[in-house]
Amino acid sequence: MADVLTFGIEEEFLVVDDRGRPVHAADAVLDSAGDSGVGDLQQELTKSQAETATGICVTRDEAVEQLQAMRTSLARAADRRGLRILPCASPPVSAGELPAITATPRYRRMAAHFGATARATLTCGCHVHVAVPDPETGTRVLGHVRPWLPALLTVTANSAIADGIDTDYCSWRNQEWARWPSAGPPPRFASHADYEGVVDAWLRAGAILDRGMVYWDVRLSEKQPTVEFRVADVAATAEEATLLAVLCRALVATVLDAGDPPHLSNEVLRGQLWRAAREGVTGHCPDPATGDLLPAVEVLKRLAEFCAPALRSAGDTEFVLEGLARLARDGGGADRQRRLFANRESALDVVDRFAVPTGAARPATA
């Protein structure tokens, strides 16, 4: 495993009450959870969100164990206050009010500068970090992974039910998040200097207030020597988050020493991402090679084939193939949300089934 790239996973969760409504209690839950012994627990933009971050992982088992431990720690802390931790990328039940901004100087400044874009944002993502040797290599990797972003989005699309309705999207979060001026797919950069030029221009224009607000669907991390995939919804289960992560790692490993990235305009890529957000893993997704629509599960199989040597090196082949087969059979988080909602048109049914249990983690199925 010495040559296998390391990775890490960040997950954002909703803190909700017994009726499924987001509540302004994340700080109390995080304080109560304390140190889980693995990873980090962190505050997010709003007081209705809690974030976890694994340590540096080499194997998928490490990732699953850390994710499950932190999910359970948060769930137990929330339960002590009559609250729940919800791995859904948009609130299934409306809070009936705008989210409260976490009281840090940075978040308050963001709220003042961006107005309703910040104050009305309540979405939860899953971010995957994969180690790269240097920023120049990382910039080239960004160009190579861009065409696969729609397929990666389908893996954890998990926000079909939002504010009490079926949005008709599998990733409603993808649509909501697009309000930020720095969100969406990154362009194809000629060099790391080109990347830095765009970030600098955004800072001078006030489109971002600091480098942490570069919200591209995949970017260079500001804190670690990694490429950070930000395209995905928070996953319904720790296993699905890890499936996403090992696919991202294998993709980076596959293109790490590749030459010039393929040409793909951002206009085309935005349209492809829209289609992936609309239909999710049980719908259709553009094929990165041709742009033609194929079943998303077929595109994901092609991704696994493209990354086959890297998956074998990491010992992840069977895990990925089983995970993709499960998604093809049972659907993704969005499909499971939609089936639950269809029974009685009750968003609370989604909350009840998806909320993280206080014991051993279990998949959310319907």
Side-chain angles (χ1 to χ4, degrees), residues 12 34 38 63 77 81 86 98 123 132-133 144 171 173 203 232 241 243 255 258 282 289 292 295 298 365:
E12 299 164 347
V38 294
R81 286 163 174 74
L86 188 61
L98 289 178
T123 63
V132 290
H144 282 285
S171 177
R173 168 192 169 271
L203 285 165
L243 172 62
V255 303
T282 54
D292 294 335
E298 176 60 31
T365 58

Side-chain angles (χ1 to χ4, degrees), residues 40 43 125 133 179 200 232 359-360:
D40 293 312
Q43 291 183 317
R179 290 194 296 253
D200 180 64

Side-chain angles (χ1 to χ4, degrees), residues 76-124:
R76 288 175 176 169
D79 184 62
R80 290 193 286 270
R81 286 163 174 74
L83 304 174
R84 292 188 276 187
I85 297 299
L86 188 61
C88 292
S90 293
V93 177
S94 173
E97 59 182 347
L98 289 178
I101 300 297
T102 299
T104 67
R106 179 174 184 261
Y107 288 146
R108 284 175 170 171
R109 186 175 172 225
M110 286 169 60
H113 188 77
F114 291 96
T117 295
R119 293 194 300 271
T121 295
L122 186 52
T123 63
C124 295

Side-chain angles (χ1 to χ4, degrees), residues 25-114:
D27 52 352
V29 171
L30 288 165
D31 287 344
S32 177
D35 186 358
S36 66
V38 294
D40 293 312
L41 306 178
Q42 304 166 354
Q43 291 183 317
E44 250 299 326
L45 175 63
T46 80
K47 292 183 179 181
S48 301
Q49 294 170 282
E51 182 178 22
T52 66
T54 69
I56 297 173
C57 299
V58 177
T59 70
R60 67 177 183 277
D61 289 342
E62 289 178 90
V64 171
E65 289 170 7
Q66 290 189 39
L67 293 175
Q68 287 180 337
M70 288 186 289
R71 284 180 175 221
T72 300
S73 178
L74 281 178
R76 288 175 176 169
D79 184 62
R80 290 193 286 270
R81 286 163 174 74
L83 304 174
R84 292 188 276 187
I85 297 299
L86 188 61
C88 292
S90 293
V93 177
S94 173
E97 59 182 347
L98 289 178
I101 300 297
T102 299
T104 67
R106 179 174 184 261
Y107 288 146
R108 284 175 170 171
R109 186 175 172 225
M110 286 169 60
H113 188 77
F114 291 96

Side-chain angles (χ1 to χ4, degrees), residues 205-276:
I208 58 175
L209 298 182
D210 56 48
R211 296 175 63 89
M213 288 192 68
V214 175
Y215 290 152
W216 280 316
D217 292 333
V218 61
R219 70 177 185 182
L220 302 181
S221 172
E222 286 302 310
K223 296 181 180 179
Q224 290 92 25
T226 63
V227 165
E228 180 184 1
F229 292 82
R230 300 173 55 88
V231 71
D233 287 4
V234 66
T237 68
E239 290 80 6
E240 288 176 355
T242 305
L243 172 62
L244 170 72
V246 298
L247 282 170
C248 290
R249 173 175 59 179
L251 180 56
V252 172
T254 300
V255 303
L256 196 62
D257 297 319
D260 291 338
H263 288 275
L264 175 62
S265 77
N266 253 27
E267 290 78 9
V268 171
L269 183 52
R270 283 183 183 275
Q272 293 177 342
L273 282 161
W274 176 87
R275 185 64 180 242

